[in-house]
Amino acid sequence: MQRIFEVDPWHLISHQLDDKSKLLQESLTSIGNGYMGMRGMFAEDYSGTTHAGIYIGGVWFPDRTVVGWWKNGYPEYFGKVINAVNFAKVNFWLNDEKVDLAKNQISDFTLDLDMQHGELRRQFTVTKGTARVQITITRFVSIVQKELFVLHYNFRNLGQAPVKLQIDSALDGNVYNQDANYHEQFWQVKSRQQSMTAGLLVAKTKPNPFATPRYTTAMHMTNATTLTPQATPETNQQVVNRFNGELAVGATTDFEKRVIVTTSRDYADQQAVIAAAKKISQQVAQQTYTELETAQQQAWTVRWQQADIKINGDTAAQQGIRFNLFQLFSTYYGEDNRLNIGPKGFTGEKYGGATYWDTEAFALPLYLAVAPTTVSEHLLEYRYNQLPGAVHNAQAQGLQGALFPMVTFNGIESHNEWEITFEEIHRNGTIAYAIYNYTNYTGDETYLREKGIDVLVGIARFWADRVHFSQRKQQYMIHGVTGPNEYENNVNNNWYTNLLARWTLQYTLASLPKTTTAKQTKLAVSTAEKAQWQDIIDHMYLPEDEKLGIFEQQDTYLDKDIQPVTAIPAAQRPINQHWSWDKILRSPYIKQADVLQGIWYFIDQFSPAVKQRNFDFYEPLTVHESSLSPSVHAILAADLHYEAKAVEMYQRTARLDLDNYNNDTNDGLHITSMTGSWLAIVQGFAGMRVRDGQLHFAPFLPQDWQSYQFQINFRGHLLNIEVTKTGTTVNLQSGSALTIDLDGQQLELNSGKPFVD
Amino acid sequence: MQRIFEVDPWHLISHQLDDKSKLLQESLTSIGNGYMGMRGMFAEDYSGTTHAGIYIGGVWFPDRTVVGWWKNGYPEYFGKVINAVNFAKVNFWLNDEKVDLAKNQISDFTLDLDMQHGELRRQFTVTKGTARVQITITRFVSIVQKELFVLHYNFRNLGQAPVKLQIDSALDGNVYNQDANYHEQFWQVKSRQQSMTAGLLVAKTKPNPFATPRYTTAMHMTNATTLTPQATPETNQQVVNRFNGELAVGATTDFEKRVIVTTSRDYADQQAVIAAAKKISQQVAQQTYTELETAQQQAWTVRWQQADIKINGDTAAQQGIRFNLFQLFSTYYGEDNRLNIGPKGFTGEKYGGATYWDTEAFALPLYLAVAPTTVSEHLLEYRYNQLPGAVHNAQAQGLQGALFPMVTFNGIESHNEWEITFEEIHRNGTIAYAIYNYTNYTGDETYLREKGIDVLVGIARFWADRVHFSQRKQQYMIHGVTGPNEYENNVNNNWYTNLLARWTLQYTLASLPKTTTAKQTKLAVSTAEKAQWQDIIDHMYLPEDEKLGIFEQQDTYLDKDIQPVTAIPAAQRPINQHWSWDKILRSPYIKQADVLQGIWYFIDQFSPAVKQRNFDFYEPLTVHESSLSPSVHAILAADLHYEAKAVEMYQRTARLDLDNYNNDTNDGLHITSMTGSWLAIVQGFAGMRVRDGQLHFAPFLPQDWQSYQFQINFRGHLLNIEVTKTGTTVNLQSGSALTIDLDGQQLELNSGKPFVD
């Protein structure tokens, strides 16, 4: 655990500038707007440890898969998240000396991520000889105008002599990816234009041999200041505007940089990309800095009004949940149904890809409850639109139906390790489950009937082809899979995978009759096919251990050397940073919920005794080294009234990055697991369930908290739920009357009349 | 099946020049001398399909491992076999037109690999306008002077007018690897020198970030001809000597190129490498071409006198076995104990690496019998010398003892897929078994006591740490392995692996008391350690199926959808070229002997009924898509008196490359499986065994053969065994009197007195 920011309900504030924690600081102070985003690196060159990462949603590069021995069906490339042209760059000189915070004498350093208003601020004083200048910097990526990035500087001369000031504002195409294989570059600069105060740089991703697009991006900057613009020399792969002047004793001066970023994702060709950048730049020029900033702050305020969770009595927890929601919304707010929720969002390059099953498993439930329904629809449509890619992926493995990718930008699998892509097919089950989840939550079967059914039939066909019938056991089996616990690979009969496969077939068979005749004709599921699905449903093998009364994670899990996590020396954790992959694979240690993930999905279908036996057996074997792990355990622990365990798990998920629990936040944030703390509170502490179309709550209050409060959008009703030491208040904020179940009691809610338990 | 050369007992002869089979032709006409070798590509530029591959033993490049998600313990690099500077290049022009056999009108084409004499010859007539010139070319890599390559041309004017002739002889550093990831080059040209008739090119492998050497090679060429030398322009990365002149009607002229290749493997620095190349070049200059060629032919004749197998009545089989021995000896003849037998020898780049377990499993038995004992000793010492690397490999996985690499040049693992390197640990068992095999065959325990025991203890310690005790089964298990059948990955309790692990512990415990006190002190195997080993031996889990009475390949093999290979449509074979890797892994199909490999190693320890049940079960499930597979099956089939099956398997191994059985010989030959046909005849048809120090034979003659005859070196005795339709003749060629067992009868042999059965 490593906590570098002060505990505060709305801010991440630090007065420390420490090279050793610089990467962590940068990750935690990332900002974004769904369209683009960046790490909290300094805008100026920093000669210490830094990772200047700026990313644009849906802009990527297919990096050829390289293996010793090629096998059929291997994905051809790894989908790399690539570092964009550095459009945030601003360097400045005091009395002709370049400022570099790794070298200069600075004081009064403050870094402040204002989550309430979506801004990152920095202030510090540089002392250089006789010069003493205080610099205050604000940056934001606009959630009002997606293409807009704004950087504002104020320089104040605190010294006893005038100070010569020079500022270089740049668009820098000379960028590298941290995860490049051979230090190669992914961008080619295609065009540069500049005036004294503005500049344009156009770059295109380098050629690749695959049937994937190359992306063109245009960055148009305008710079405004009272300093004097200077001619700048040609610089390779950069566009620079230079300004200088003198700062009198006690005087201040401002500098403002605005950048408009457009891409070929939205415009047809290079000319159109450039024209759009310039046009939007002109539009934005109509507004003052204050107007832009105010609009940004107001937009964030609206988001918070809908989604905020208030925790009284535990500021660290309060800060954690707000940080999670802030970063999640910075990554995705559903505006563009071609985008999704990348595992690192706009905070790093690790893992590659834009989309994992994390979205359906962990993010959808949150967006269903705290954002407009269109956001969830967009998430589902993303998969529907990528169905051709999923069919392609199945065919690449010689299988029928649709296999949604483990990692993708466009529907085609873009991860390149076979044990992931070939084997972690359980993702297909979750993508089917998301359709159920959406339908169950919204009560609206339109999506299911019109689009979801196509996805379900594709997945069902995949499962029906992927199982085999074991003569020895006289049951259907699924060999060669990797379950959610990625600390095992290529196992047979992962209980979770088999369960989801069977469930998908059941749900698809049950849903088909709800669709139109035209749809059924198009899908052409034959009687024989349905009979085969039913046979698989009836004879699916689900490993269980009778003696222990538990589901067995996979065929030979219980043959392992079963020792609880407490047997691992503390110095060897997290094991993925200390043990060889080989040792991890053979160990009994579970990375994230596996059997328990299945129990969570169908939490009402298992008896408390079954849930308890499985939780009691598996949780002590779980190292929670996936950021997706603690939330599921928090929910199940709460369900089992293991309140202390639920709180422990909540704490781990809520401040996973803030407290750098797994010692890997330097690389970027765990965006898709940001939903975990919300899930832990809402599904865990508050026990929210939707049963037969009715909302249920069974809340408890963590011992150290005074109260917590959250809001839920449910079928056109907006509910505010407050849980205090004295009881639960449910307030129907808007929408018609609604009957809910609170702790087993039916309660009718009317707008404006809070029910107090 | 694809047969492009005529059936002939000593030659590969073809009169066809077909672009579609050019790569296959090149692979099959490869030549080498253990130190270096080359594919049978034309020396001149060929604009059709070609792979100009020249390789130098032990010269390689560590290519960084690239994966999406890095895990601890992954090997850092893939050891690439790199294409050397092309020192064979000779282009020629007739009347100023460059000759290119892909474009020119040619006639009377003959390509002839003379296996008896170790030479590749080519003859053809080029017609260009009025010019008609017959060209005869001979090339060989000397087995007398390892650094020497010789290329001899004769031009004969068959036309009615004089012909202008120009020859460019080059050393070309501008080479690419077929398996380069990004078309990058691995050589940097460091120095070039040239006179009118000689040239020198020095190249060094490019830098790499690992603790592996960079190699410097010097190529020194001398060219001799009656044509007139010409000044040549500077050419990038090349050294060229040019000659021209006129060829009168009916006249002939010769051209000869000699190249000396030296490397930093043998000399300390670049200066020494260059000096050695020049010095050897001067020494070789003392000999005429005829003298060099005669010495080459005589040296090959001596090899054949010791190793030839004669088959009467089946010329295809005769050609097959000689081709195998020729290519095997071209790859390795034991001169340098730092080298080993690469899977493609000097015939291609695929697979990388210099050393696989193939050497110990398949090559050692042959070299023990047909080459001086020092050759086998060098093979064993190779591993002993690499023991530190094996300890490193084990440590990288967090394990004790020694893990010999799956693929290596220097002892450090140099393959980069975890399912190979982490899991195919059975290789360790074979490396232990080779020590037993050598000791059992030679009857000499010196190596075992002095060096082999160090290897055995290292491997035993690895096994003892790698097993775990299953509480559920109350037995020791080995999880997470890949057996010899690479069509399964990451399985549990592979019977073969568990068997070898147990055996290694047994053999090591039994061997320790034979060593000196000093050795025992050094090895420091404690009483507790020995007790632990004994406990593992006593409680090792070996999966069996009682109902079928067979050993189970791995824990859940029999849960698969078991269907015989005959159920696979012919168009889908070989499956590794038609099925996705995923489908292969889940299938019941076996790439090569797995359970049966274990039965082969310990063939006398299983009852005929056990051998038969396992063979009858597993052989029909085996696709033999490893070139190492048929030989083991041939031996076991012969042991079970399945003579037709034994012959079928022999045919597959003997002409695997000659008939391109697995449709993959374009990439290069299957060098390590070249021993298969020898094993099939000697251990299979002739039933050779060494039991308690005595040589046993139980021969049969394949129905279609008239006879076969081979020689065996056994403990200082040279035996010639001839099996004919009328019986078996065993002739003690040299050595003292010896008693052997022939078909169960004890027979005393005396030199010069053949025993006829």
Side-chain angles (χ1 to χ4, degrees), chain A residues 51-79:
Chain A
H51 173 203
I54 302 183
Y55 309 97
I56 303 172
V59 171
W60 61 287
F61 184 81
D63 195 38
R64 198 165 84 77
T65 304
V66 175
V67 293
W69 301 341
W70 187 268
K71 284 110 180 175
N72 287 330
Y74 270 21
E76 293 175 296
Y77 50 75
F78 179 75

Side-chain angles (χ1 to χ4, degrees), chain B residues 238-346:
Chain B
Q238 289 194 24
V239 171
V240 182
N241 288 151
R242 177 169 294 173
F243 304 89
N244 64 21
E246 199 175 81
L247 202 54
V249 174
T252 70
T253 193
D254 287 346
F255 168 79
E256 187 197 336
K257 176 180 190 174
R258 297 180 188 180
V259 183
I260 298 298
V261 177
T262 54
T263 82
S264 55
R265 292 184 61 250
D266 293 322
Y267 302 98
D269 57 27
Q270 183 172 320
Q271 280 318 105
V273 173
I274 294 171
K278 290 182 175 174
K279 186 177 164 197
I280 299 169
S281 201
Q282 284 165 0
Q283 289 167 353
V284 169
Q286 309 302 315
Q287 292 181 267
T288 65
Y289 172 73
T290 307
E291 285 169 347
L292 293 175
E293 189 185 28
T294 303
Q296 168 81 349
Q297 295 185 350
Q298 284 174 346
W300 270 102
T301 302
V302 169
R303 288 187 177 181
W304 285 117
Q305 278 166 356
Q306 291 175 34
D308 191 27
I309 291 193
K310 293 185 184 69
I311 297 171
N312 261 321
D314 188 340
T315 311
Q318 175 68 76
Q319 186 182 33
I321 185 86
R322 284 197 177 128
F323 178 73
N324 292 344
L325 291 169
F326 175 76
Q327 291 294 352
L328 203 53
F329 293 166
S330 296
T331 306
Y332 188 82
Y333 208 72
E335 294 92 345
D336 184 343
N337 75 353
R338 300 167 301 168
L339 296 179
N340 209 283
I341 306 162
K344 294 272 157 203
F346 303 113

Side-chain angles (χ1 to χ4, degrees), chain B residues 14 77 187 202 341 358 395 421 469 556 563 600 622 658 672 694 705 745:
Chain B
S14 170
Y77 51 76
W187 288 105
V202 181
I341 306 162
D358 310 16
Q395 283 171 350
T421 56
F469 189 72
T556 57
Q563 308 272 354
W600 172 43
T622 305
L658 275 182
T672 45
Q694 191 179 41
W705 292 7
Q745 299 202 321

Side-chain angles (χ1 to χ4, degrees), chain A residues 64 69 72 181 397 417-419 466 468 472 489-490 492 552 556 559 576 580-582 586, chain B residues 64 69 72 181 397 417-419 466 468 472 489-490 492 552 556 559 576 579-582 586:
Chain A
R64 198 165 84 77
W69 301 341
N72 287 330
N181 302 319
Q397 293 188 22
E417 287 172 89
W418 68 267
E419 65 274 23
R466 186 61 169 72
H468 76 271
R472 176 156 74 172
N489 272 171
N490 197 31
N492 294 333
E552 190 172 2
T556 57
D559 282 340
N576 68 24
S580 79
W581 187 232
D582 171 59
R586 289 183 285 114
Chain B
R64 198 165 83 78
W69 301 341
N72 288 331
N181 302 319
Q397 293 188 23
E417 290 172 86
W418 67 267
E419 64 274 22
R466 184 60 171 73
H468 75 270
R472 176 156 75 172
N489 272 170
N490 197 32
N492 295 334
E552 190 171 1
T556 57
D559 282 340
N576 69 24
W579 288 8
S580 80
W581 187 231
D582 171 58
R586 290 181 286 115

Side-chain angles (χ1 to χ4, degrees), chain A residues 6-17:
Chain A
E6 292 172 9
V7 172
D8 180 287
W10 277 113
H11 294 259
L12 302 196
I13 293 177
S14 170
H15 300 289
Q16 303 296 319
L17 176 54

